[in-house]
Amino acid sequence: QVQLVESGGGLVQSGGSLRLSCVASGFTSVSYTMGWYRQVPGKGRELIASIDRPGRPDGGAHYADSVKRRFTISRDDDKNTLFLQMNRLKPDDTGVYYCNRPNSFIGWGQGTQVTVSS
């Protein structure tokens, strides 16, 4: 069964950090570009970071302008796990965070709530 399980969210003060994890099952993550999405109330899910399959010389990481230089996406394909290190968090980063395969979507996980207080 193909499944994504996100974790690591929580309540943090502005300027703080969190590290999100996404464990994939039912497929081999190394074969796919993986991404993190954020959804805020009243809006759709926005792709904020993605990472290409291994082997790209630059690591193949891409970021939305809103998170560039604050968030870092990484992957451990031996553990079928995707990470998002979030630093210098802002209240605007509040939302539910999901992972998925940007080029070949599968069912969404339950997401993990991130709340940043001012």
Side-chain angles (χ1 to χ4, degrees), residues 4-41:
L4 299 165
V5 178
E6 301 90 350
S7 63
L11 174 62
V12 63
Q13 287 188 332
S14 182
S17 299
L18 284 173
R19 189 188 193 210
L20 307 184
S21 300
C22 166
V23 178
S25 58
F27 68 96
T28 305
S29 64
V30 69
S31 300
Y32 297 91
T33 295
M34 298 295 296
W36 282 100
Y37 298 75
R38 177 170 67 199
Q39 185 170 29
V40 300

Side-chain angles (χ1 to χ4, degrees), residues 99-110:
C99 62
N100 214 309
R101 306 181 326 197
N103 299 326
S104 54
F105 283 108
I106 58 177
W108 295 99
Q110 84 288 350

Side-chain angles (χ1 to χ4, degrees), residues 42-96:
K43 294 188 178 181
R45 293 182 180 96
E46 173 195 11
L47 179 64
I48 58 169
S50 66
I51 185 166
D52 297 333
R53 291 177 293 174
R56 290 285 300 271
D58 61 354
H62 312 276
Y63 300 94
D65 288 344
S66 60
V67 306
K68 201 172 290 183
R69 290 178 291 278
R70 298 188 299 122
F71 291 9
T72 302
I73 188 172
S74 62
R75 61 194 300 163
D76 182 345
D77 292 310
D78 287 340
K79 298 181 180 178
N80 249 27
T81 302
L82 181 72
F83 301 100
L84 185 68
Q85 178 66 44
M86 306 188 296
N87 298 328
R88 303 199 307 279
L89 282 161
K90 306 174 182 179
D92 285 349
D93 295 318
T94 294
V96 182

